[in-house]
Amino acid sequence: MSHDHHHDDHVHDHGHDHGREHAHASDHDHGGHAHGHGHHHHAPTDFGRAFAIGIALNAAYVIGEAAYGVFANSLALLADAGHNAGDVVSLGLAWLAAWLSNKAPSTRYTYGLRSSSILAALANAVLLALITGAIAWEAVLRLMHPQPAAGGAMMAVAAVGILINGATALMFAGGRDRDLNVRGAFQHMASDALVAAGVVATGGAILFTHWLWLDPVVSLVISAVIVLGTWSLLREALALALAGVPLGVDRGGVANYLAALPGVTDVHDLHIWGMSTTETALTAHLVRPGAGMDDALLAQVCVELKTRFAIHHTTLQVESGAALCELADHAAA
C-alpha cells in the first residue's frame, strides 16, 4: 500500500569543530563531522477504495462459499473459503497499516508508524502459511477417507469467485511494483482467481468421473499454489522486519557511488534498511580529509541516492579522518 507524501528535497548540514575530540551520540571521536538529511517520498497513491471494495466483496463471497462448501461437502470449496478468509484479514491488516503509516512522527516514534506496513506484510505471510498447513492436513485426511462432493455446486460457487477475485486483483495491479502490501494483495487475488478456475474444472471432472479423490488432490494443489505465491512475500517481509537491505537496492552500487564522491577517501558504517514497505533509509560515514563543509554536494548526494537507488531518507556523517571512528568496522564491508 503506497501512502507516500511528496516534499521538496532538503538537506540539513551541521558542522562542528571542537578540536580533536567531539562528543557524539555514539560516543566516538572525530576531527569534525557533518550530517546531511534528505527526506523523500513517492507521489501519493491511494488504494483505500480498492481495499474497502476488495474486503467487502471477498467477505461476502467467503460466507457464501463456506456455506456452499458445507452443503456440497466439498473440501476444495472450504479450502478456498479459508484462503479467501485469510485474504480478507490480510487486506484489512494492509489497509490498517497504510493508515497507520500516515501518522505523524512523535517524540517516541520518531519515524512515525511507517514500519507497521512491514509488520502487516509479515503477519499476512505467516497467516497464509498457517491456513495452508490446515488445508493440506485436511486434504491428506480426505485422501485416506474419501467423501462424496457435489460437483455442480462447486462449479457455480467457484465461477463467482473467478469474477470477484479477478476484479479485486485488477484494482491492485497498478501498485504491485511499488509496495509489498499492494503486491501481496494483487498476488493473493490473482492466485485466488486461478485457484477458483481449478475448482470449476474439478467440479466438472467429478460430475463426469465420480472420482472422489479429485477433491482432496485439488486442495493439495491449492496449498502448493499458495505456498509458491507467498514464499517470496514471506522472505521479503521477514528481511524488512530484520532491517535487511530492501530487495532491489544495490548495496554494493551505493557503496561504490559514495566512495567515488569528490574528496572521499573512505566510507564506513553504511546501513540501508526499509522504514516501511515503500520507503528506504540510509546512514553512512564519509571521510573527506581537509574538504570542509559542502552543502551542495550533500544535497546532490541525497537526490541521486533517491533517483538512482530508490533511497528516500539519507543521513550522512562527514569526518575529517583526523581521529579513528569507533564505528569504522561496525557495518559489513
Side-chain angles (χ1 to χ4, degrees):
M1 185 69 185
S2 179
H3 286 264
D4 303 316
H5 307 280
H6 175 77
H7 301 286
D8 294 333
D9 297 337
H10 57 283
V11 177
H12 305 291
D13 309 302
H14 312 287
H16 307 279
D17 186 6
H18 299 290
R20 294 187 56 83
E21 294 186 358
H22 175 75
H24 187 257
S26 300
D27 297 326
H28 53 278
D29 302 330
H30 308 285
H33 73 268
H35 299 284
H37 304 283
H39 305 274
H40 310 282
H41 306 279
H42 297 186
T45 305
D46 186 7
F47 284 90
R49 177 173 294 183
F51 276 115
I53 295 174
I55 289 172
L57 287 176
N58 281 274
Y61 177 64
V62 164
I63 294 173
E65 186 176 31
Y68 272 94
V70 173
F71 168 76
N73 195 31
S74 169
L75 179 60
L77 278 181
L78 290 174
D80 194 46
H83 182 203
N84 281 306
D87 285 340
V88 171
V89 175
S90 296
L91 291 175
L93 285 175
W95 195 9
L96 175 63
W99 177 73
L100 290 175
S101 294
N102 282 329
K103 291 295 184 181
S106 66
T107 54
R108 182 173 185 182
Y109 300 102
T110 56
Y111 279 129
L113 298 176
R114 289 181 175 91
S115 61
S116 59
S117 60
I118 298 174
L119 297 178
L122 182 58
N124 288 339
V126 172
L127 177 63
L128 284 171
L130 293 174
I131 292 173
T132 303
I135 292 172
W137 176 251
E138 184 63 24
V140 170
L141 294 179
R142 285 282 183 108
L143 274 175
M144 293 188 294
H145 306 285
Q147 298 184 28
M154 288 173 60
M155 295 175 66
V157 176
V160 175
I162 296 175
L163 297 176
I164 291 178
N165 291 316
T168 306
L170 288 176
M171 291 189 291
F172 295 107
R176 67 183 187 276
D177 294 330
R178 299 190 300 271
D179 190 324
L180 185 64
N181 277 328
V182 173
R183 191 180 94 202
F186 170 82
Q187 216 165 301
H188 292 173
M189 295 299 108
S191 65
D192 283 353
L194 292 176
V195 166
V199 172
V200 170
T202 303
I206 290 176
L207 283 178
F208 286 101
T209 65
H210 302 289
W211 292 343
L212 300 182
W213 54 265
L214 279 176
D215 187 34
V217 165
V218 169
S219 298
L220 288 174
V221 173
I222 289 175
S223 300
V225 169
I226 297 171
V227 169
L228 291 174
T230 59
W231 173 246
S232 63
L233 295 175
L234 176 60
R235 183 175 57 186
E236 188 174 346
L238 184 60
L240 288 176
L242 295 175
V245 177
L247 189 68
V249 176
D250 180 7
R251 186 189 182 281
V254 171
N256 291 336
Y257 164 73
L258 293 175
L261 292 173
V264 173
T265 60
D266 181 55
V267 178
H268 58 266
D269 201 32
L270 172 60
H271 297 278
I272 305 172
W273 73 98
M275 294 192 299
S276 70
T277 54
T278 59
E279 296 173 280
T280 303
L282 173 150
T283 61
H285 293 201
L286 308 180
V287 178
R288 301 183 74 221
M293 302 302 302
D294 193 337
D295 292 358
L297 175 62
L298 290 174
Q300 176 188 347
V301 170
C302 289
V303 171
E304 291 196 7
L305 285 174
K306 175 189 176 185
T307 56
R308 292 178 56 181
F309 301 101
I311 294 172
H312 317 98
H313 186 115
T314 294
T315 303
L316 298 172
Q317 178 164 299
V318 178
E319 303 164 1
S320 69
L324 178 65
C325 175
E326 291 183 1
L327 296 179
D329 299 319
H330 182 66

